[in-house]
Each structure stands twice: as C-alpha cells, then as structure tokens.
Amino acid sequence: QVQLVESGGGLVQAGGSLRLSCAASGRTFSRYAMGWFRQAPGKERELVAGITCSGAYTNYADSVKGRFTISRDNAKSTVYLQMNSLKPEDTAVYYCAAALTCNIYPTTYNFWGQGTQVTVSS
C-alpha cells in the first residue's frame, strides 16, 4: 500500500503558475510510475501527465504540452507538476496516482491521492 498526499493547489489568475506536489509514503516510491490526473465539474477524469519510475520518460495530454512539466524526486518520494501559462480551462481537481509498473503508459493506476483544487480565474 502507498499513501499519496497532494498539495500546492489554489486560486491563480490566467497566465499564472502553480506547482503541485504529491508526497508518497509506504512502499518504495521508485517502483511506481506516477501520473497526474484532473477532473473538472461535469467532465470525465483525464490524464494530464505521466512519468516513469526513473523519471527518464514523460508524457503529456495535448492540452498541456509546453505549459506543464512533470518531474519526480525519488529520494524525497515526491512527484511534482509545474503548471505555467494557466488557463481558465485548467480549472479542476488535480489528483496524483501511482501505478505498480514502470511503463510510461500504465493500464491501471493502483493508488490515488485525495486531490487538490486548482482554480484559474479569467
């Protein structure tokens, strides 16, 4: 079992930046691929970014490419999502998740955080 706790959400104006963090406890963090997801009201949850166990490979949703950066620090058991040039359509609850694989495209994410709200005002 691994526990995930997100932080760093908040209210920001369009064009601004936020950095989300997700701290993990439990089993060895470096054995999990990690992902950031988001869910806006009335919409399905979507994968925003993913990263492999070592951090060597990342992937992004087309809507955030060039604006968001996922990274991880295995020594600190933490994954980050740097969000720049934020838009009102980025408003959502953001969740981090861990997958019991090192693949860049996990078929299943096994553990989830509680989420953190990001609100971007126009």
Side-chain angles (χ1 to χ4, degrees):
Q1 190 78 9
V2 61
Q3 293 78 42
L4 303 171
V5 179
E6 302 97 335
S7 61
L11 174 65
V12 64
Q13 288 188 334
S17 298
L18 282 174
R19 187 194 196 200
L20 305 183
S21 298
C22 173
S25 62
R27 292 182 178 176
T28 305
F29 179 71
S30 61
R31 295 179 182 175
Y32 295 91
M34 299 296 296
W36 283 99
F37 291 77
R38 67 185 181 187
Q39 187 166 20
K43 295 187 177 181
E44 293 187 354
R45 185 174 59 195
E46 63 172 342
L47 176 65
V48 174
I51 190 167
T52 54
C53 298
S54 67
Y57 299 98
T58 58
N59 67 288
Y60 297 92
D62 288 343
S63 58
V64 306
K65 281 181 181 177
R67 299 189 298 122
F68 290 11
T69 302
I70 187 172
S71 62
R72 66 190 295 163
D73 185 338
N74 286 345
K76 295 182 178 180
S77 298
T78 302
V79 62
Y80 305 97
L81 186 68
Q82 178 67 44
M83 306 186 294
N84 299 328
S85 302
L86 283 161
K87 304 175 181 180
E89 51 263 43
D90 294 318
T91 296
V93 178
Y94 283 71
Y95 301 89
C96 72
L100 288 167
T101 179
C102 287
N103 293 336
I104 185 60
Y105 296 110
T107 56
T108 301
Y109 281 86
N110 306 92
F111 306 103
W112 295 82
Q114 83 288 349
T116 185
Q117 177 70 46
V118 171
T119 303
V120 184
S121 63
S122 57

